[in-house]
Amino acid sequence: MKLYFSPGACSLSAHIALHEAGLAHEAIKAPTKTKTLPDGSDYRLINPLGYVPYLVLDSGEGLREGPAIVQYIADQAPEKHLAPANGTMARYQLQSWLNFIGTELHKGFSPLFTPGMPDEAKAMAKERLMQRLAWVDGELAGKQYLMGDTFTVADGYLFTVTNWPAMIGIDLSDLTNLGLYRARVGARPGVQAAMKAEGLI
């Protein structure tokens, strides 16, 4: 498989999933600004949308959108328990978390990274984002991971998006449960391996 990624972007979630699953893959840097691959070709010839992550399977088929990609990866290594079995309530709970992280957190950061966004709009986005993160902090009380005692692909995604506040000067130190959780997830060998592969540590 080939994973197209941009260092530190949401594609880190898929990169973490691949390492946690122990699946052989090639990671190819696809800068979201230049769209130019290491060989000089235009990334949009592979993924016309031009964003990451994008996973090319051994069959040659392509898969886009992080929540779909990480579930596919998890299902290739069921013994790793990165996602509950399809059709179970636990799987729907996992999908609920993936959707929440994608729509309420991931997209919530967009105005804060957008050049030229008015300060008032950024302040409103930050307030909304902090409300969501405070709720997540409460949900993590007494838990090792989002789904309980087992690390899942949702944890890789939450870890990825909660790396971003530090880049834009948002202080999460009051969110104690989230801080402990991030330290726990960040220490995992699969997470460390993905971050090293992206040059983040």
Side-chain angles (χ1 to χ4, degrees):
M1 290 186 286
K2 294 180 181 179
L3 174 69
Y4 290 87
F5 76 98
S6 185
C10 57
S11 48
L12 176 61
S13 171
H15 215 164
I16 289 171
L18 284 165
H19 281 280
E20 288 282 342
L23 298 177
H25 64 277
E26 178 185 2
I28 302 169
K29 192 180 292 186
T32 52
K33 290 183 179 177
T34 66
K35 317 293 186 192
T36 303
L37 296 175
D39 65 3
S41 63
D42 189 338
Y43 173 49
R44 287 165 292 198
L45 296 175
I46 294 168
N47 178 9
L49 291 172
Y51 58 67
V52 292
Y54 188 70
L55 188 69
V56 177
L57 312 183
D58 293 339
S59 66
E61 290 178 278
L63 190 59
R64 63 176 58 87
E65 304 303 329
I69 289 172
V70 296
Q71 288 182 82
Y72 173 83
I73 291 168
D75 288 339
Q76 305 315 298
E79 72 283 359
K80 300 289 187 176
H81 305 292
L82 295 173
N86 276 302
T88 63
M89 181 54 68
R91 183 60 169 251
Y92 299 124
Q93 294 288 359
L94 174 79
Q95 291 170 348
S96 176
W97 272 117
L98 289 170
N99 278 288
F100 175 84
I101 297 165
T103 59
E104 298 296 326
L105 300 182
H106 181 172
K107 283 301 178 185
F109 278 102
S110 294
L112 304 176
F113 284 118
T114 302
M117 182 67 67
D119 289 342
E120 184 179 353
K122 286 189 175 184
M124 291 172 63
K126 180 179 176 182
E127 182 181 0
R128 181 182 175 91
L129 191 56
M130 290 303 295
Q131 289 172 351
R132 300 296 188 268
L133 288 168
W135 179 79
V136 171
D137 185 69
E139 290 295 299
L140 286 170
K143 291 183 183 176
Q144 293 288 303
Y145 300 107
L146 288 172
M147 299 284 291
D149 293 332
T150 303
F151 176 92
T152 69
V153 291
D155 295 298
Y157 195 9
L158 180 60
F159 177 80
T160 295
V161 300
T162 54
N163 280 337
W164 300 342
M167 299 178 190
I168 49 179
I170 294 179
D171 183 10
L172 300 183
S173 60
D174 287 343
L175 304 181
T176 307
N177 295 324
L178 183 59
L180 292 171
Y181 165 86
R182 281 186 43 75
R184 185 179 306 116
V185 174
R188 292 180 64 88
V191 176
Q192 290 277 305
M195 293 184 72
K196 285 178 183 174
E198 295 197 6
L200 301 174
I201 55 175

